[in-house]
Amino acid sequence: METRKIPGTDLNLSVIAFGSFASGNGWAPSERKSAIEAIRASYQLGVTTFDTAPIYGLGDTETILGEALSCFPRDKVQILTKFGLRWIYAKGKLFRTVVDWQGRNVDIYRYAGKESVIEECENSLRRLQTDYIDLYQLHWPDETTPFEETFEAVDRLVQQGKVRYVGVSNVSPEQMDQIRELFPFVSLQMPYNMIDRTIEKDVVDYCIDNKKAILAYRPLEAGLLSGKVHPDDVYPKNDMRNVNPHFTPENIKKTNVFLEELKPLASEKKVTLAQLALRWTADRPGITAILAGAQNSAQAIENAKAANIRLSKKDMDYMNSALLKLHL
């Protein structure tokens, strides 16, 4: 597995990292089993970087990741998690309301007060069955708490050895300027894929110029770039795809037309469309690792094998030319 180093650290991330986003909690036994198998299958194929967050599954996803990784040497994996989204306290700013596995509405708040950050870290360490976090990331900025207070707490965690390095997520270049005056963060996590290239406007250049790693999440745009999504697909009530503009019937049709153009290249490389999309993202300027999710071991294996694909300049030019025709 290809690895890439986060500048200024000794963290070498697998270029294909495991992203453990989950939209709800209350995993059924079969789902937990599949999730654990997916994580372990990823490791067996060289994936060493695993990204999660307390909000995924309302704590349950961290617990699953901790269980899955407990049988591997701790120094052979990088555990990445986040802080700053709370559902226990009604503090900060309301982020969104989700429906839990019992059908109850749960309000999620952006909140990164000092004591809250410290408490979140302790909870994550317990759920993940570890005594340190390799990369601890601010999940979303909290407008109600000064960055000074948030990163004072983070600094304490680093001094205590509970956190090795610190990253940020979903922040602007202006906010990164404010944060780096306070604390030497090393990475930024943002959505990035073939049909969501927003960060190319200013974020990519900022990170390259300031030697910050970029961890790309949603590299398959919630599965849309797999070629397996249809305009008449129906999703559960709480599924984020219901409010994702890329998932309107019209945009699904347009994306599928684009993916048809990639099929000859995928066939030539003997890979799937999803693998081709993952490798394209990994090969874009400034990208250190891509966070690919998997619900079962088959998907995990497919994702991990995308690291073995080699795309020439001619291949990339062909894909980019096809993208120019896509207007979403």
Side-chain angles (χ1 to χ4, degrees):
M1 172 67 70
E2 176 186 354
T3 62
R4 295 175 182 173
K5 187 176 182 180
I6 292 184
T9 77
D10 59 0
L11 284 182
N12 287 292
L13 307 186
S14 53
V15 67
I16 304 294
F18 189 95
S20 64
F21 172 81
S23 60
N25 64 345
W27 298 61
S30 60
E31 293 171 327
R32 295 181 73 93
K33 183 174 182 291
S34 292
I36 290 170
E37 289 173 348
I39 293 164
R40 291 177 176 171
S42 298
Y43 179 83
Q44 296 298 337
L45 285 178
V47 173
T48 61
T49 305
F50 298 85
D51 178 82
T52 187
I55 198 63
Y56 302 164
L58 302 181
D60 211 18
T61 304
E62 282 189 329
T63 300
I64 288 171
L65 183 62
E67 180 181 346
L69 295 180
S70 63
C71 60
F72 303 128
R74 178 64 182 88
D75 62 351
K76 300 298 183 184
V77 298
Q78 303 87 47
I79 296 178
L80 288 50
T81 193
K82 309 178 189 74
F83 65 94
L85 291 183
R86 306 304 310 266
W87 68 94
I88 298 173
Y89 307 119
K91 294 182 179 181
K93 184 174 181 179
L94 183 65
F95 179 53
R96 65 170 58 114
T97 300
V98 302
V99 181
D100 72 6
W101 66 282
Q102 293 180 316
R104 299 172 302 188
N105 287 338
V106 178
D107 291 334
I108 310 298
Y109 292 83
R110 293 189 194 182
Y111 182 60
K114 183 177 179 180
E115 298 307 319
S116 177
V117 173
I118 292 169
E119 180 187 43
E120 278 202 90
C121 184
E122 295 295 345
N123 291 340
S124 290
L125 290 170
R126 183 186 69 257
R127 289 190 289 252
L128 291 164
Q129 300 185 38
T130 185
D131 56 4
Y132 67 92
I133 294 163
D134 292 286
L135 184 67
Y136 202 39
Q137 304 156 102
L138 173 63
H139 204 156
W140 284 86
D142 165 24
E143 301 170 10
T144 68
T145 303
F147 284 140
E148 288 86 349
E149 178 180 338
T150 297
F151 286 91
E152 180 185 348
V154 170
D155 184 58
R156 180 193 296 183
L157 294 168
V158 172
Q159 295 301 321
Q160 292 174 341
K162 296 174 181 177
V163 168
R164 297 193 64 218
Y165 297 103
V166 176
V168 295
S169 181
N170 303 303
V171 296
S172 66
E174 292 74 21
Q175 289 169 320
M176 285 191 280
D177 273 338
Q178 296 172 37
I179 294 168
R180 70 192 183 99
E181 289 294 320
L182 302 167
F183 195 89
F185 73 93
V186 300
S187 65
L188 170 68
Q189 188 173 141
M190 292 289 278
Y192 183 58
N193 56 60
M194 285 179 158
I195 58 176
D196 184 352
R197 301 169 66 177
T198 308
I199 66 170
E200 291 181 3
K201 294 176 183 177
D202 54 5
V203 170
V204 171
D205 285 344
Y206 180 97
C207 289
I208 292 173
D209 292 344
N210 290 283
K211 296 181 171 56
K212 306 298 181 186
I214 299 176
L215 312 183
Y217 73 84
R218 233 166 44 218
L220 294 178
E221 191 53 58
L224 182 56
L225 290 168
S226 69
K228 298 177 181 178
V229 176
H230 306 98
D232 56 353
D233 288 345
V234 177
Y235 304 103
K237 179 182 177 182
N238 198 38
D239 197 301
M240 295 302 294
R241 286 172 289 189
N242 289 318
V243 294
N244 184 330
H246 289 125
F247 278 79
T248 64
E250 180 183 3
N251 283 339
I252 291 172
K253 289 177 185 176
K254 290 180 179 178
T255 301
N256 285 342
V257 169
F258 157 69
L259 292 172
E260 282 293 324
E261 289 201 52
L262 300 190
K263 282 186 176 179
L265 180 59
S267 179
E268 175 191 327
K269 299 286 183 182
K270 296 182 172 58
V271 300
T272 65
L273 288 171
Q275 289 174 317
L276 204 58
L278 290 175
R279 188 71 239 190
W280 178 92
T281 306
D283 284 353
R284 297 294 292 172
I287 302 302
T288 302
I290 56 177
L291 310 178
Q295 294 180 318
N296 53 56
S297 58
Q299 291 176 355
I301 290 167
E302 179 181 348
N303 291 345
K305 288 184 175 180
N308 301 328
I309 300 170
R310 293 295 174 263
L311 296 176
S312 66
K313 183 179 183 301
K314 180 181 177 182
D315 296 331
M316 291 294 282
D317 287 347
Y318 174 80
M319 298 168 78
N320 291 334
S321 177
L323 269 174
L324 288 174
K325 306 172 193 175
L326 179 63
H327 301 288
L328 296 178

